[in-house]
Amino acid sequence: MSNPLDHVDQLGAWLKGADLALLELRGPGANLRLVNDGASVRAVEGEEPLSVDAPTITVGAPSPGLFLDRHPLHDRTIAAVAADVRAGEPLGFLQIGPLLMAVPAPRAGLVTDVLAAHGTIVGYGAPLFVLQPIEGQTS
């Protein structure tokens, strides 16, 4: 029988081809997490697996406006599912007329869900992202 780790490159190609952001495999002695950030697929080692009971933070809109998951001059989303973010980093933007306001991450964490579609009009406090905080880090 072959070692499953011999097939990580193939798993990465399938992950990218299926346009999935995260593949996590758990076993009795090891965990394998493959993260697809749109540009490449990388194996993430040494991290604790996502816990079903882990607390999450819902990031709401700081103002009403048009939600943008990327800067208007860029094609790539800022914070996709499975992206690690630091406190204060922009997760997306709100466009209010000619004003562009960043939606900052309240603390360091892993983006587990994007709740609003690009170009959606949102109200104050509307849920935009779900973060799983990284234990022991506040920035």
Side-chain angles (χ1 to χ4, degrees):
M1 185 161 133
S2 66
N3 183 345
L5 294 178
D6 295 339
H7 304 286
V8 170
D9 291 336
Q10 181 63 50
L11 289 170
W14 289 336
L15 186 70
K16 192 166 186 170
D19 198 28
L20 295 173
L22 175 69
L23 172 68
E24 185 172 12
L25 302 173
R26 298 180 192 177
N31 295 318
L32 173 66
R33 182 182 288 173
L34 298 176
V35 178
N36 177 9
D37 63 9
S40 65
V41 175
R42 68 188 192 290
V44 179
E45 298 177 24
E47 292 186 17
E48 287 293 315
L50 294 176
S51 169
V52 175
D53 299 328
T56 59
I57 297 171
T58 300
V59 180
S63 168
L66 183 70
F67 172 70
L68 304 175
D69 65 3
R70 64 192 66 111
H71 190 279
L73 300 177
H74 297 250
D75 293 329
R76 196 164 150 205
T77 61
I78 297 173
V81 172
D84 288 321
V85 295
R86 292 182 293 191
E89 283 186 343
L91 299 170
F93 294 96
L94 289 177
Q95 184 174 3
I96 308 152
L99 176 68
L100 198 61
M101 174 190 293
V103 177
R107 63 178 293 182
L110 177 75
V111 177
T112 59
D113 203 359
V114 179
L115 303 172
H118 178 76
T120 303
I121 296 174
V122 297
Y124 172 78
L128 303 176
F129 297 92
V130 178
L131 291 180
Q132 180 181 10
I134 297 174
E135 291 304 317
Q137 290 190 4
T138 57
S139 57

